[in-house]
Amino acid sequence: MTERDPANGPETDPVRDPWRAPMRLALEEAARATPAGDVPVGAVVLSPDGTVLSVGHNERELTGDPTAHAEILAIRRAAAKVGAWRLTGCTLVVTLEPCTMCAGALVQSRVARVVYGALDEKAGAAGSLWDVVRDRRLNHRPEVIQGVLAEECSEPLRAFFRDRRIIDF
């Protein structure tokens, strides 16, 4: 059960607390996306023992590759590092809820768990708009933990879109 401080919200959350440090690493990675004009999303793949296998940030604008999402890049790098396409037991930590492409890649790579910060109510596929990762018709369903450092993950996205006067995320 979560203990609550009336002034500051949850003090401890046994489900989300272990993921705060890797989420901060994902946030650092997300900041690397903006100089190239990419949406600030960062991802980290952790081995089953919690070791960082890889990181990635959005590089669509930088590379001209529509599949260069943070999650895809981090998954590719982790697979190359372990020498296999199956990332059994691994966790992907990402600042924004994965889209359908990335959710499909999570299922296909057999990632055990996806942890994300900000909800993506317009394109999210891990519980908000769609729930690809937990679709019972698929052969693999990763555990989903959402809302880790949600406000800290949302702010760079809001600032990115506000600065470009596209939308208020």
Side-chain angles (χ1 to χ4, degrees), residues 15-17 19-20 23 93-95 115-118 145-151 153:
V15 173
R16 291 178 183 85
D17 284 353
W19 307 112
R20 290 177 190 227
M23 187 62 78
V93 179
V94 62
T95 58
V115 177
Y116 67 88
I145 299 171
Q146 64 185 43
V148 176
L149 300 178
E151 186 55 34
C153 292

Side-chain angles (χ1 to χ4, degrees), residues 150-151 153-163 167-169:
E151 186 55 34
C153 292
S154 296
E155 184 48 40
L157 294 162
R158 275 195 220 89
F160 178 85
F161 290 109
R162 184 176 48 243
D163 290 349
I167 59 169
D168 186 23
F169 196 88

Side-chain angles (χ1 to χ4, degrees), residues 17-40:
D17 284 353
W19 307 112
R20 290 177 190 227
M23 187 62 78
R24 285 191 175 92
L25 181 58
L27 280 162
E28 289 174 19
E29 189 64 22
R32 293 185 171 104
T34 53
D38 277 294
V39 178

Side-chain angles (χ1 to χ4, degrees), residues 22-147:
M23 187 62 78
R24 285 191 175 92
L25 181 58
L27 280 162
E28 289 174 19
E29 189 64 22
R32 293 185 171 104
T34 53
D38 277 294
V39 178
V41 177
V44 176
V45 176
L46 304 172
S47 71
D49 71 3
T51 303
V52 174
L53 289 175
S54 66
V55 296
H57 59 271
N58 279 356
E59 295 183 16
R60 292 187 314 167
E61 297 296 331
L62 179 68
T63 63
D65 178 355
T67 69
H69 288 204
E71 301 96 322
I72 299 295
L73 297 174
I75 288 169
R76 286 178 185 159
R77 292 169 184 154
K81 188 166 187 176
V82 301
W85 62 268
R86 286 185 184 92
L87 298 176
T88 307
C90 292
T91 299
L92 180 119
V93 179
V94 62
T95 58
L96 179 64
E97 179 182 2
C99 69
T100 54
M101 175 182 68
C102 294
L106 290 164
V107 171
Q108 292 299 315
S109 64
R110 308 302 194 268
V111 167
R113 179 180 307 103
V114 58
V115 177
Y116 67 88
L119 281 173
D120 186 349
E121 295 177 1
K122 294 184 179 182
S128 62
L129 186 58
W130 294 290
D131 203 352
V132 171
V133 294
R134 292 181 284 200
D135 189 318
R136 292 178 24 214
R137 296 168 292 185
L138 299 176
N139 64 333
H140 178 72
R141 290 178 295 284
E143 174 186 8
V144 176
I145 299 171
Q146 64 185 43

